[in-house]
Amino acid sequence: MSRYRKSEEMLERALRSIPLGSQTFSKSHTQYPRGVSPFFLERGKGCRVWDVDGNEYVDFVNGLASVTLGYCDPDVDTAVARQLQSGVIFTLPHPLEVEVAEKIVEMVPCAEQVRFGKNGSDATAGAIRVARAYTGRDRVAVCGYHGWQDWYIGSTARNRGVPAAVRNLTHTFTYNNAASLHTVLTSHPGEFAAVILEPMNVAAPAPGFLEEVRELAHNHGALLVFDETITGFRFANGGAQELFGVTPDLATFGKGLANGYPVSAVAGPARIMHVMEEIFFSFTFGGETLSLAAALATLEKLQREPVVAVLAERGARLVASLQARIDALALGDVLSVSGHPSWSFLTIRDAPGCTLWELKTLLLQELFARGVLTLGTHNMSYAHRDDDLMTLDAAYADALAVVKDAVEARAAAKFLRCKPLESLFKVR
Ligand SMILES: Cc1ncc(COP(=O)(O)O)c(C=O)c1O
């Protein structure tokens, strides 16, 4: 009987009432090969999760990088449980809004003032609206992934439903290629409100790149926005801006801000954030207290304990052992590891007779079977311990051996027990 029988049944059922069967693209069956993957998780503790069939995994996705401390972190959950006794949402703001804003101001270099959203997309959309209002301009230069809303997603291959008039205002540039930003900015002089980028994702910033981006943005009268939805509270307590020493005009946060509770933030200096009072950035649940209690507990724990240092140290060990396995199997033409140790990527390339999608599917099939959840990234959590890294290393030892066999046979498809994933939508 299939290890994933209940997951499969639940997916069939979900697809009848939920388009895509999931609320989130990267949790959907488009990302997990049918027949060899779990589709529903029921429970998590620390860095471990259990699917609806009762299979246990060491999780390296961790709620899409939102769970930085671990599932059901006791400090965070105690704060949430305490807040739950007195109410979730009120008629007027709650003092927690002030306390969390002040905490972010204390931690993040660019932050003098802060507004909250729920998803990262709220924060990026808010930052872009602020930048447009502040500069009186419409165009935006983007680099990386910035969420589901029209202003950004219109610039990607998944732009159906976004009016052409909106799409035409967003221009993409290439990471570590300041010349590409220069070209974009000079294509419409004086029209750019913002340059927004993930300060780092797959590749580290080349020396001087982020500084050059800031200078180019400012020379063209645009604001520099760092999308720190993932890097914030993961690369350093003050985000990538602290780690790399480049302070943007605005920054956005989400994901790990509250260890998986839904809250995001836009932060910046008062002279720019003041524009928030003139635009409309307002929603019923912006001041929802459970997530703010979780945020405060998370940020205090980040300050109290060496969380980001531990993420980086364990992540670096993971990267080193994965790289050693790739080298030992002479798979360097097909696989490479990159990214920050707290958020590293295993990149797969085509090989003769094997598409990268077949190889990726094969890798996932083998890793899931060995109780490891990853989609090719390692989103480190403070709850990962040495034995969890050993579990991952042992799973990679086996899975990479299968990949090696497939590459040598020039026939990955022969090793698959499912249909390969398809290339649908790539943003990094
Ligand atoms: C860098 C970055 N920006 C924005 C977003 C959008 O955040 P959300 O999915 O919470 O709306 C994400 C989500 O993956 C992200 O990684």
Side-chain angles (χ1 to χ4, degrees):
M1 185 168 294
S2 163
R3 168 179 162 83
Y4 307 111
R5 186 178 59 82
K6 286 189 182 164
S7 262
E8 291 284 345
E9 285 170 4
M10 186 65 81
L11 180 60
E12 292 297 335
R13 188 174 148 198
L15 287 169
R16 287 197 284 275
S17 59
I18 300 172
L20 198 65
S22 162
Q23 311 310 315
T24 310
F25 188 77
S26 46
K27 294 184 189 178
S28 75
H29 65 93
T30 64
Q31 310 297 304
Y32 289 81
R34 289 290 280 270
V36 297
S37 307
F39 290 108
F40 290 86
L41 296 177
E42 236 166 20
R43 193 162 64 84
K45 182 72 195 154
C47 66
R48 291 181 182 254
V49 289
W50 288 265
D51 71 14
V52 288
D53 288 278
N55 300 308
E56 178 177 332
Y57 304 84
V58 181
D59 192 352
F60 286 89
V61 187
N62 286 303
L64 315 179
S66 67
V67 179
T68 39
L69 300 176
Y71 293 98
C72 298
D73 177 83
D75 295 313
V76 175
D77 286 3
T78 301
V80 171
R82 196 181 314 119
Q83 181 55 39
L84 187 57
Q85 304 303 310
S86 51
V88 178
I89 187 87
F90 299 102
T91 309
L92 294 173
H94 188 280
L96 271 168
E97 294 178 41
V98 184
E99 290 168 39
V100 179
E102 286 174 353
K103 187 53 82 181
I104 293 174
V105 168
E106 190 185 315
M107 293 170 77
V108 173
C110 80
E112 286 173 11
Q113 294 193 327
V114 182
R115 283 289 305 269
F116 299 111
K118 286 298 180 209
N119 288 286
S121 300
D122 294 344
T124 53
I128 293 305
R129 187 167 300 167
V130 165
R132 284 173 164 162
Y134 184 80
T135 60
R137 297 160 166 200
D138 290 342
R139 292 191 191 274
V140 178
V142 303
C143 176
Y145 176 66
H146 306 300
W148 73 272
Q149 298 209 6
D150 284 8
W151 72 268
Y152 166 71
I153 211 69
S155 69
T156 73
R158 276 221 161 214
N159 60 11
R160 281 190 68 190
V162 180
V166 175
R167 294 205 304 261
N168 293 340
L169 295 175
T170 303
H171 305 253
T172 57
F173 68 100
T174 309
Y175 193 77
N176 271 342
N177 184 342
S180 71
L181 176 61
H182 180 260
T183 304
V184 160
L185 293 174
T186 50
S187 66
H188 298 277
E191 295 185 24
F192 277 86
V195 172
I196 180 169
L197 76 163
E198 290 180 77
M200 174 173 171
N201 52 47
V202 181
F209 171 69
L210 294 174
E211 290 83 350
E212 208 175 336
V213 167
R214 183 173 57 188
E215 197 177 318
L216 276 169
H218 289 171
N219 287 347
H220 286 264
L223 297 187
L224 175 64
V225 184
F226 276 0
D227 180 348
E228 298 232 39
T229 305
I230 290 184
T231 58
F233 311 114
R234 176 174 283 276
F235 281 24
N237 281 355
Q241 58 192 276
E242 179 185 295
L243 180 66
F244 298 126
V246 176
T247 305
D249 299 307
L250 291 170
T252 63
F253 300 89
K255 307 269 190 189
L257 168 54
N259 196 43
Y261 284 84
V263 60
S264 60
V266 189
R271 74 187 155 81
I272 300 173
M273 287 297 286
H274 175 70
V275 171
M276 280 284 190
E277 298 183 1
E278 289 155 22
I279 65 167
F280 201 74
F281 182 76
S282 168
F283 20 73
T284 306
F285 296 121
E288 175 266 310
T289 60
L290 298 187
S291 301
L292 289 168
L296 192 59
T298 302
L299 298 176
E300 284 174 351
K301 189 154 181 170
L302 285 172
Q303 288 186 315
R304 198 172 62 239
E305 298 191 22
V307 177
V308 296
V310 166
L311 300 186
E313 188 274 324
R314 293 196 186 127
R317 272 197 280 143
L318 180 163
V319 166
S321 56
L322 178 53
Q323 188 63 58
R325 296 218 171 267
I326 292 170
D327 293 344
L329 290 166
L331 281 171
D333 288 344
V334 186
L335 302 175
S336 51
V337 196
S338 62
H340 187 272
S342 70
W343 179 35
S344 60
F345 295 76
L346 177 63
T347 304
I348 307 173
R349 286 177 288 278
D350 291 333
C354 309
T355 69
L356 84 85
W357 289 103
E358 288 169 339
L359 291 173
K360 176 165 182 173
T361 308
L362 184 58
L363 200 61
L364 298 187
Q365 167 187 294
E366 300 302 321
L367 290 173
F368 297 163
R370 288 167 178 80
V372 163
L373 271 191
T374 167
L375 285 178
T377 66
H378 313 104
N379 309 333
M380 300 308 291
S381 138
Y382 194 48
H384 286 130
R385 298 274 179 269
D386 286 352
D387 58 326
D388 303 310
L389 297 187
M390 280 160 61
T391 300
L392 179 72
D393 187 49
Y396 268 130
D398 293 348
L400 294 186
V402 178
V403 168
K404 175 76 175 173
D405 289 345
V407 169
E408 283 190 339
R410 299 183 169 222
K414 258 179 38 190
F415 294 77
L416 287 176
R417 297 191 297 275
C418 59
K419 281 208 321 214
L421 295 167
E422 288 169 31
S423 163
L424 287 178
F425 174 49
K426 192 168 182 319
V427 288
R428 294 191 178 101

